[in-house]
Amino acid sequence: MKKNIIKMTAFALTGAMIFSLAACGGTKNPKSETASTVQTETAQETAAKSLGGWEVNGKKLSIKENAAAKAAFEKATEGLEGYEYEPIALLGTQVAAGINYSILARGKAVVPKAEPSYEIVTVYEDLDGNAEILGEKTLLGAGEKDALGAYEVNDGEYDLSKNADVKAVFDKAFDKLEGADYEVIAYLGSQVAAGTNYLALARVTPVVPDAEPEIDLVTVYEDTKGQAKVSETETVALGSEDADTASESAESEQIPDPYESFTSLKDAAAAAGFDVTLPDAPKGYENVSYRVDTGEKMLEAIYSDKDTDSADAKEAYRIRKAVGSDDISGDYNDYSEKKEVTVSGNKVNMKGNDGKVFTAVWTSGKFTYAIDIDNNGQGLSEDEVTALVNATK
């Protein structure tokens, strides 16, 4: 099957940092292991700690590797009724006439079919070893997952290495990017939004001398073509102050969807601001959906064998029309065969391999057109594509 690459809007990363990916407990960026990046405690950092500042955990994150924090958490929650916690990671500590632990945990009410939430729990342990929960900050909670745009909270394995499909998305998003040691602490949940958003909590350490790590909420967006990118990063303050609600957290991490979906071509054309004529659907791909990017003035028709939101939906092709003259195919693969043919007076650029066409691009008047072809990875013949071009206006 061919690999499509959709042009996406450039995104800004917190602190203008570029990341490389490593799962929690996995291999780190080798650059972060060099002697030049070993962090030393400065007088300023010591003063901050003595005044009660939070220190992000720069060592092993797993709660199983932090015995003191684990013991304090267990003491603080041993008498809890009606709610249960699963501690995941030690995010940081704070000296305060004893010690405060900032711990990522997954919580759930002890009732049938209860849905989980991911929370930062602040546990205080005094000098005598007594422990209590000071407060919680919800990162992603058990909300109305059936509501449009809501996140579905991950109730399975939160270790990214145990979520092969999700890990593959993060790998693509961070492919060949360097500049920081990036460790995914936990995979929190997902959201369908003309593609899928994946939300995770991560520790980020820039690969520069004396760099301090931070804890970030990171959203990776995978579009319907399988292309992935980081769409949002947000630094999380440790402790329980300025608690966020689950809905506020989910909303802040949601990538703006540039497309509006339609079930009828008439409504889609009205939203795009121009008329369009399209070919009939091929046999086996009668499910036709329409999307409009109102900002770019582009209309797209998707011919598939079932609803495009279905995970196993297969596409025959996509036809696009937009105002302008740019290549809007979204396919920038390097094909071995390229040919310009004239169809109905328009010069059409066709590209493909082994005698099969996978993309066709042309302009007519003030509009640009494109056909992006899948057809189970088989492409179409030149005659078949010519017929589609003739039927598209």
Side-chain angles (χ1 to χ4, degrees):
M1 186 176 290
K2 66 171 184 161
K3 181 180 179 183
N4 293 321
I5 304 173
I6 303 299
K7 282 195 295 186
M8 306 296 286
T9 304
F11 57 91
L13 299 180
T14 300
M17 293 187 297
I18 303 175
F19 301 113
S20 62
L21 179 65
C24 181
T27 303
K28 298 181 180 180
N29 188 326
K31 294 182 181 180
S32 66
E33 306 286 15
T34 62
S36 63
T37 61
V38 174
Q39 297 178 22
T40 59
E41 185 175 3
T42 66
Q44 183 179 7
E45 291 164 350
T46 303
K49 291 178 192 175
S50 66
L51 292 173
W54 281 97
E55 180 183 13
V56 174
N57 177 16
K59 299 180 181 179
K60 293 182 178 180
L61 289 161
S62 172
I63 196 68
K64 297 177 182 179
E65 302 290 341
N66 292 275
K70 182 174 182 290
F73 188 91
E74 290 172 350
K75 283 187 287 186
T77 59
E78 61 184 356
L80 200 61
E81 296 182 358
Y83 201 81
E84 59 184 13
Y85 278 115
E86 178 185 5
I88 298 173
L90 174 63
L91 305 180
T93 56
Q94 179 187 49
V95 177
I99 188 166
N100 287 327
Y101 296 101
S102 185
I103 296 171
L104 174 67
R106 181 164 60 184
K108 182 185 293 186
V110 186
V111 295
K113 299 183 180 180
E115 297 177 1
S117 64
Y118 287 88
E119 306 170 26
I120 293 179
V121 181
T122 303
V123 173
Y124 169 64
E125 185 177 33
D126 65 23
L127 298 175
D128 295 323
N130 302 307
E132 63 176 319
I133 293 178
L134 292 185
E136 307 88 2
K137 174 160 44 181
T138 302
L139 300 176
L140 189 64
E144 300 175 5
K145 72 175 183 178
D146 293 329
L148 181 63
Y151 268 81
E152 181 171 359
V153 183
N154 174 24
D155 197 13
E157 294 284 356
Y158 49 75
D159 186 338
L160 192 64
S161 66
K162 296 180 181 179
N163 289 272
D165 292 344
V166 180
K167 183 178 183 299
V169 175
F170 275 81
D171 286 341
K172 284 187 288 186
F174 289 92
D175 185 31
K176 299 180 182 179
L177 299 182
E178 298 180 350
D181 174 27
Y182 180 92
E183 290 183 81
V184 173
I185 302 168
Y187 160 50
L188 307 184
S190 61
Q191 174 198 48
V192 175
T196 306
N197 292 316
Y198 295 95
L199 183 63
L201 191 69
R203 178 174 66 185
V204 179
T205 308
V207 185
V208 294
D210 300 325
E212 290 294 316
E214 63 183 30
I215 304 298
D216 286 2
L217 276 169
V218 179
T219 304
V220 167
Y221 172 65
E222 182 183 37
D223 66 21
T224 56
K225 287 285 190 174
Q227 304 305 311
K229 72 169 186 176
V230 172
S231 62
E232 189 83 20
T233 64
E234 180 182 347
T235 301
V236 177
L238 301 186
S240 301
E241 63 278 8
D242 302 323
D244 299 319
T245 65
S247 61
E248 289 171 340
S249 178
E251 182 179 356
S252 68
E253 294 306 310
Q254 182 178 347
I255 181 174
D257 183 4
Y259 288 100
E260 184 177 357
S261 298
F262 297 89
T263 56
S264 77
L265 179 58
K266 180 180 178 181
D267 291 342
F274 51 77
D275 293 328
V276 61
T277 301
L278 296 171
D280 294 333
K283 184 177 180 180
Y285 296 90
E286 291 84 2
N287 192 304
V288 186
S289 59
Y290 309 96
R291 301 195 307 166
V292 174
D293 184 336
T294 54
E296 298 295 331
K297 293 295 183 183
M298 182 181 79
L299 186 151
E300 176 182 62
I302 305 171
Y303 296 76
S304 58
D305 63 343
K306 59 185 69 174
D307 193 305
T308 53
D309 288 334
S310 176
D312 58 347
K314 295 181 176 61
E315 294 181 13
Y317 41 77
R318 297 183 178 211
I319 298 179
R320 298 185 178 118
K321 178 178 180 178
V323 176
S325 58
D326 292 338
D327 181 347
I328 56 171
S329 68
D331 186 349
Y332 305 102
N333 292 290
D334 186 15
Y335 291 107
S336 60
E337 299 170 2
K338 302 175 183 179
K339 186 176 182 181
E340 183 179 271
V341 298
T342 300
V343 180
S344 299
N346 298 313
K347 293 181 179 180
V348 181
N349 290 307
M350 297 186 184
K351 301 177 184 179
N353 296 317
D354 302 321
K356 294 294 184 178
V357 179
F358 286 100
T359 183
V361 179
W362 73 99
T363 59
S364 179
K366 65 177 183 179
F367 295 103
T368 180
Y369 300 81
I371 303 176
D372 179 33
I373 304 158
D374 190 345
N375 193 32
N376 284 322
Q378 302 303 309
L380 293 175
S381 68
E382 181 179 325
D383 288 344
E384 289 173 316
V385 176
T386 298
L388 290 178
V389 172
N390 272 319
T392 303
K393 295 183 174 45

